[in-house]
Amino acid sequence: MHISFLINSAFGMGGTIRTTFNLARTLAEQHEVEVVSVFRYRDRPFFDPGPRVRLRSLVDMRRHSSGYEGGDPEHALPARVFPRGDGRFPQYSPLTDRRIGEDLRTTAADVVIGTRPGLNAHIARQTRRGPARVGQEHLTLATHPARLKLMLRGTYPRLDAVTTVTEADARDYRRLLRLPGVRIEALPNSVPEPDVRPADGTGKWVVAAGRLAPAKRYDVLIRAFARVVAERPDWGLRIYGSGREREKLRLLIDELGLYNHVFLMGPAHPIEAEWAKGAIGAVTSSLESFGMTIVEAMRCGLPVVATDCPHGPGEIIRDGVDGLLAPVGDESAIAGALLRLMNDDALRQRMSRAALAASSRFDPAQVGARYEDLLTALVNRRGGAVHRARGALLGGAYAVKDAANYALKGVRPALQGGRA
């Protein structure tokens, strides 16, 4: 198969980019795979797509480039195809509408895969007849504004499949959007096996990682850790990532007197070595579309204490087996879960081994095989539909031809009889 991914930008360092490259690299072992980036901001991508994956872009936003297109007057106008309900709408324009449309109308791919609602809308509306059309959802239906949900309901019936990263979100799509004929599948993000030795559980560090954004609720984690330190001052907390909440969190750390126990480490890439230095992972979000950092930590041998928020943690962590779940926003419960693991070395080691084993189900090879099964079925279904359509057309043509011959046979004797 020839598989084409359409992504906002393949040149940043977000989770969608990383998981798209993981999947593309895996599928490229057996298929022809390309990643089409609407925007190009850097000379080289931050993540490596792999040697077999073709990477190309549609709009050059590199200011130092001779092909810089950010100043094109057409790009100063609002998009007409890319939907307003998508949060990336301000970045899009008639220029991007046109470039994406041209690419989709001329693609040689057997399957085209969008990676956000706005791009899924382009695929649904502009892809030439023939390729299977797949829309990936990396966020959740529940977090989309009403305007976007209305667009999805009207546009997604033109897709062949929609994939979500959790079964909970897939249920929402089936129940709320009711997309007849559209296959809705829950296929998780993939995380490769790390290139570091798993954590040995002896480092007295709790590790968290991700954007310093309100939904991640690092303030809850820090307040919970203040309770932990009162009993276990020999443990520390490292938080990796950057974002707009950094200064607010810094002030909270100072306010609680945790400056010798809680550290804002900044972004780290690769992150695997930092997970492996810890003994426990922590995720205290109010919402997770999946929970990729949970899987990353588990793949490095860390049991994870996480809030049981919608939608991902409860589908990743088996509570009491390879991690612990706590109610959202409950500082006391989070502190209690952390202390439970800190105070019981045998439990922590047992959960560490279980986390390492369970997280292998998110390996790119396993997730890629599930995607390959889906895409093969969609291409075969598309091919069957095309074959049936051609058969109907040919059948109609033969019927017309047969009717004409039959009529002609009836006319000829009459003519011959007339001449007699």
Side-chain angles (χ1 to χ4, degrees), residues 3 12 51 63 82 85 129 135 138 161 197 200 225 231 273 301 327 347 379 383 398 401 409:
I3 303 164
R63 290 187 177 275
F82 194 89
R129 183 174 295 180
H138 289 274
R197 289 175 62 104
D200 60 14
F225 207 75
E231 183 176 330
L347 175 66
V379 168
Y398 286 132
K401 183 177 180 182
K409 286 177 182 177

Side-chain angles (χ1 to χ4, degrees), residues 238-253:
R238 290 172 171 168
I239 301 174
Y240 291 89
S242 60
R244 57 179 176 165
E245 293 274 289
R246 182 180 178 84
E247 186 56 31
K248 180 179 176 181
L249 297 174
R250 166 54 56 201
L251 292 173
L252 179 61
I253 292 168

Side-chain angles (χ1 to χ4, degrees), residues 130-177:
R133 308 172 186 191
V134 179
Q136 286 184 338
E137 177 59 80
H138 289 274
L139 297 176
T140 65
L141 183 62
T143 58
H144 291 329
R147 182 180 207 170
L148 184 57
K149 290 176 185 173
L150 190 62
M151 185 280 294
L152 301 183
R153 181 171 289 176
T155 306
Y156 274 19
R158 304 181 203 179
L159 298 174
D160 294 288
V162 173
T163 67
T164 64
V165 290
T166 64
E167 185 56 50
D169 201 35
R171 286 196 296 269
D172 284 349
Y173 269 88
R174 296 183 190 113
R175 180 172 56 90
L176 299 174
L177 287 195

Side-chain angles (χ1 to χ4, degrees), residues 29-370:
E29 294 176 6
Q30 301 293 333
H31 305 281
E32 182 182 352
V33 179
E34 65 175 1
V35 174
V36 180
S37 178
V38 177
F39 299 106
R40 181 173 187 174
Y41 295 99
R42 297 161 52 98
D43 292 340
R44 294 178 179 274
F46 190 83
F47 298 116
D48 179 17
R52 293 189 178 95
V53 177
R54 180 189 179 198
L55 177 61
R56 57 190 180 87
S57 58
L58 303 179
V59 179
D60 192 341
M61 300 296 287
R62 295 173 296 168
R63 290 187 177 275
H64 66 274
S65 168
S66 59
Y68 172 66
E69 297 175 295
D72 190 310
E74 192 180 15
H75 194 51
L77 302 173
R80 292 186 291 271
V81 179
F82 194 89
R84 288 182 178 273
D86 189 301
R88 293 282 185 182
F89 176 77
Q91 294 179 248
Y92 285 75
S93 68
L95 175 64
T96 58
D97 286 347
R98 180 166 55 81
R99 293 283 174 82
I100 296 170
E102 289 169 354
D103 191 69
L104 292 173
R105 282 190 294 271
T106 59
T107 183
D110 300 301
V111 183
V112 287
I113 304 174
T115 53
R116 63 177 306 112
L119 298 179
N120 297 341
H122 272 280
I123 285 173
R125 295 168 177 167
Q126 295 179 313
T127 305
R128 69 174 179 84
R129 183 174 295 180
R133 308 172 186 191
V134 179
Q136 286 184 338
E137 177 59 80
H138 289 274
L139 297 176
T140 65
L141 183 62
T143 58
H144 291 329
R147 182 180 207 170
L148 184 57
K149 290 176 185 173
L150 190 62
M151 185 280 294
L152 301 183
R153 181 171 289 176
T155 306
Y156 274 19
R158 304 181 203 179
L159 298 174
D160 294 288
V162 173
T163 67
T164 64
V165 290
T166 64
E167 185 56 50
D169 201 35
R171 286 196 296 269
D172 284 349
Y173 269 88
R174 296 183 190 113
R175 180 172 56 90
L176 299 174
L177 287 195
R178 298 177 183 174
L179 304 173
V182 180
R183 188 164 169 177
I184 299 173
E185 294 281 343
L187 296 170
N189 291 331
S190 64
V191 176
E193 183 178 6
D195 292 329
V196 298
R197 289 175 62 104
D200 60 14
T202 60
K204 294 184 176 181
W205 290 103
V206 175
V207 181
R211 291 177 298 109
L212 305 186
K216 300 299 182 181
R217 296 308 307 269
Y218 289 118
D219 59 320
V220 171
L221 177 58
I222 291 168
R223 292 183 188 280
F225 207 75
R227 299 176 183 234
V228 169
V229 167
E231 183 176 330
R232 295 299 303 262
D234 52 331
W235 281 73
L237 168 64
R238 290 172 171 168
I239 301 174
Y240 291 89
S242 60
R244 57 179 176 165
E245 293 274 289
R246 182 180 178 84
E247 186 56 31
K248 180 179 176 181
L249 297 174
R250 166 54 56 201
L251 292 173
L252 179 61
I253 292 168
D254 291 343
E255 175 191 327
L256 297 175
L258 295 173
Y259 34 80
N260 289 325
H261 295 93
V262 179
F263 303 91
L264 301 178
M265 306 296 291
H269 179 73
I271 189 66
E272 289 81 6
E274 309 310 319
W275 288 119
K277 293 173 186 175
I280 304 170
V283 175
T284 52
S285 304
S286 58
L287 176 71
E288 284 285 351
S289 56
F290 174 62
M292 201 158 177
T293 55
I294 298 174
V295 180
E296 289 176 347
M298 291 173 70
R299 296 226 71 179
C300 291
L302 270 63
V304 179
V305 171
T307 46
D308 193 13
C309 64
H311 284 71
E315 294 189 20
I316 299 171
I317 293 171
R318 293 174 296 170
D319 190 28
V321 177
D322 48 32
L324 296 171
L325 296 171
V328 176
D330 191 332
E331 298 165 13
S332 177
I334 294 165
L338 291 170
L339 285 168
R340 182 182 170 190
L341 289 172
M342 291 174 183
N343 293 332
D344 191 333
D345 292 347
L347 175 66
R348 193 171 67 250
Q349 293 286 355
R350 187 165 64 251
M351 285 195 179
S352 172
R353 292 190 294 271
L356 200 60
S359 61
S360 65
R361 71 187 188 275
F362 299 102
D363 190 83
Q366 294 204 33
V367 176
R370 293 177 63 185

